[in-house]
């Protein structure tokens, strides 16, 4: 751990309750970082999957440099973007953005949603994610979780249709999202979308590689199922491109976008363009997920289940009543460090 009078950071290895298989590979752990402002004034998190190719050293160097800055921490959320700057890895900026918002909220005795002028989040159901496994195992996992009315299936491997069929058979009542994590070509995606249609799919998330925005538009033009961009959404300019090609929705995540400020700006722009909003997360702690839960009053789809997927969450914040998520009644982000 690196400690300074103003800011400290610490790495933690999150342990996943079950092996998590995506089209990009299998993992049982996830590297996460939390940062803490002096005297516990504010907490932030920086966590990103390996396939984003963000180097840990680049993140920690960013925080080390921030800790040495002599300028005072901002006391107004509007001052946070200029204090952080536009350079540095997105999850590193996200961690500092969260910590500074947390500090201001605590100092003003306001929960995060009030600090940001957002509607009060009401209890809302999150999707529960099932990673790639055999059709039988995925069907059983769905059957074992009747409290979740929405399930998101990770696809992008061989025999995807059998996996969806098994889950639909096990849970004829459930709303189904599917996420290929960029695992299909546009042509494959169109074919699979047609084969998925009888299973009443609510959305298809990121069917094609992240840099193929035209490909996402091609798929959307050939299916009525909403196509939702995830890895293709990295900047506000991407939102304009996605709207232009006809994609119906976007998945916003604090860690890939650099924190609350850019996420809210992108959410507003997407709304202006008529896009639907999904709020998502990485395999991260309750710190990051609680921060994002303050934005749920503006979302169409919620996918904030990460704390349910890890066994050693160092924070308490967001709580779950079955599938329903509830934000804590505390100021700032509202999290506490577990003892």
């Amino acid at each position: 751990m690196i400690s300074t009078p103003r800011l400290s950071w610490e790495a933690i290895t999150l342990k996943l309750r079950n092996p998590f298989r995506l089209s990009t590979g299998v993992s049982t752990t996830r590297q996460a970082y939390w940062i803490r402002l002096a005297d516990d004034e504010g907490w932030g998190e920086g966590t990103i999957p390996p396939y984003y190719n963000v180097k840990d050293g680049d993140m920690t160097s960013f925080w080390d440099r921030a800790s040495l800055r002599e300028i005072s921490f901002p006391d107004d959320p509007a001052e946070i973007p200029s204090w952080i700057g536009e350079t540095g890895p997105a999850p590193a900026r996200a961690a500092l953005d969260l910590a500074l918002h947390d500090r201001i909220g605590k100092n003003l005795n306001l929960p995060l949603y009030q600090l940001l002028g957002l509607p009060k989040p009401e209890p809302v159901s999150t999707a529960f994610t099932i990673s790639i496994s055999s059709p039988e195992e995925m069907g059983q996992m769905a059957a074992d979780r009747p409290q979740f009315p929405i399930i998101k299936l990770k696809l992008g491997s061989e025999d995807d249709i059998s996996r969806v069929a098994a889950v639909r058979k096990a849970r004829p009542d459930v709303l189904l999202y599917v996420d290929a994590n960029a695992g299909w070509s546009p042509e494959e995606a169109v074919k699979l979308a047609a084969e998925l249609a009888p299973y009443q799919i609510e959305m298809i998330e990121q069917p094609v590689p992240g840099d193929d925005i035209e490909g996402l538009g091609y798929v959307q033009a050939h299916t009525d199922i909403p196509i939702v961009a995830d890895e293709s959404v990295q900047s506000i300019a991407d939102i304009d491109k996605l709207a232009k090609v006809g994609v119906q929705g976007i998945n916003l995540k604090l860690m890939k976008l650099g924190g609350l400020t850019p996420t809210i700006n992108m959410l507003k722009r997407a709304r202006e363009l008529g896009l639907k909003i999904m709020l998502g997360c990485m395999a991260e702690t309750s710190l990051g997920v609680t921060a994002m839960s303050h934005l749920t009053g503006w979302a169409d789809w919620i996918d904030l289940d990460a704390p349910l997927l890890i066994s050693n969450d160092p924070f308490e914040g967001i709580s779950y009543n079955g599938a329903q998520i509830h934000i804590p009644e505390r100021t700032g982000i509202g999290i506490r460090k577990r003892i």
Side-chain angles (χ1 to χ4, degrees):
M1 187 174 80
I2 302 296
S3 294
T4 74
R6 306 189 73 203
L7 179 156
S8 62
W9 59 261
E10 186 170 324
I12 180 173
T13 300
L14 302 179
K15 299 176 182 178
L16 303 179
R17 295 185 183 276
N18 297 291
F20 206 69
R21 183 184 176 197
L22 310 178
S23 62
T24 54
V26 182
S27 57
T28 58
T29 62
R30 186 58 51 82
Q31 182 70 50
Y33 290 88
W34 54 254
I35 71 169
R36 177 171 57 186
L37 304 185
D39 300 319
D40 289 349
E41 279 197 317
W43 292 80
E45 176 177 3
T47 303
I48 200 79
Y51 57 82
Y52 277 84
N53 297 313
V54 176
K55 295 179 180 179
D56 290 349
D58 291 341
M59 297 201 340
T60 58
S61 294
F62 179 84
W63 297 322
D64 290 343
R65 291 192 299 272
S67 72
L68 298 174
R69 296 185 64 187
E70 296 183 359
I71 187 172
S72 299
F73 290 138
D75 293 318
D76 184 328
E79 300 169 355
I80 290 177
S82 61
W83 200 99
I84 294 175
E86 298 180 357
T87 60
R93 287 184 280 115
L96 191 52
D97 173 276
L98 293 181
L100 294 173
H101 277 95
D102 192 34
R103 174 184 176 274
I104 296 171
K106 290 175 178 176
N107 287 344
L108 296 179
N109 200 35
L110 294 173
L112 184 62
Y113 72 88
Q114 285 189 4
L115 178 69
L116 297 173
L118 303 176
K120 182 178 181 178
E122 300 297 333
V124 62
S125 291
T126 179
F128 182 83
T129 302
I130 296 177
S131 68
I132 298 172
S133 188
S134 70
E136 295 76 16
E137 289 172 332
M138 293 176 75
Q140 190 61 54
M141 288 187 71
D144 290 344
R145 291 162 175 80
Q147 71 272 34
F148 289 96
I150 309 166
I151 287 178
K152 184 166 87 168
L153 303 179
K154 294 292 188 177
L155 301 180
S157 185
E158 71 288 343
D159 204 14
D160 282 327
I161 301 302
S162 294
R163 291 179 167 85
V164 175
V167 172
R168 176 53 77 199
K169 182 178 180 181
R171 291 288 307 278
D173 60 310
V174 79
L175 298 177
L176 282 182
Y177 306 164
V178 301
D179 181 6
N181 280 114
W184 301 331
S185 70
E187 293 74 22
E188 287 174 322
V190 169
K191 176 178 179 294
L192 288 167
E195 295 178 15
L196 287 169
Y199 298 101
Q200 298 175 300
I201 304 301
E202 300 294 315
M203 68 159 74
I204 300 175
E205 187 178 344
Q206 198 62 50
V208 306
D211 60 358
D212 191 2
I213 288 179
E214 293 293 332
L216 285 174
Y218 174 80
V219 179
Q220 185 68 86
H222 288 81
T223 182
D224 292 331
I225 302 172
I227 300 300
V228 177
D230 180 4
E231 285 86 353
S232 294
V233 184
Q234 304 291 329
S235 68
I236 202 162
D238 291 333
I239 294 177
D240 288 76
K241 295 174 185 176
L242 289 160
K244 186 176 181 180
V245 301
V247 172
Q248 291 190 35
I250 59 170
N251 188 350
L252 300 176
K253 298 177 179 177
L254 297 176
M255 299 298 147
K256 72 174 180 181
L257 301 178
L260 289 159
T261 304
T263 296
I264 291 172
N265 289 339
M266 294 172 73
L267 191 158
K268 290 178 178 178
R269 180 57 178 160
R271 282 291 190 212
E272 291 173 356
L273 295 171
L275 295 173
K276 290 187 175 182
I277 306 298
M278 184 177 194
L279 298 184
C281 56
M282 308 300 182
E284 62 200 60
T285 77
S286 288
L287 199 167
V289 175
T290 302
M292 182 60 105
S293 70
H294 285 264
L295 278 60
T296 54
W298 279 356
D300 300 287
W301 302 299
I302 308 297
D303 183 24
L304 298 176
D305 63 341
L308 300 175
L309 306 179
I310 60 179
S311 62
N312 62 331
D313 191 341
F315 298 98
E316 59 178 46
I318 187 174
S319 61
Y320 298 85
N321 180 11
Q324 280 196 339
I325 60 175
H326 300 260
I327 63 168
E329 295 184 2
R330 293 192 285 265
T331 60
I333 293 173
I335 59 93
R336 291 174 177 166
K337 183 77 165 57
R338 296 185 192 275
I339 298 174

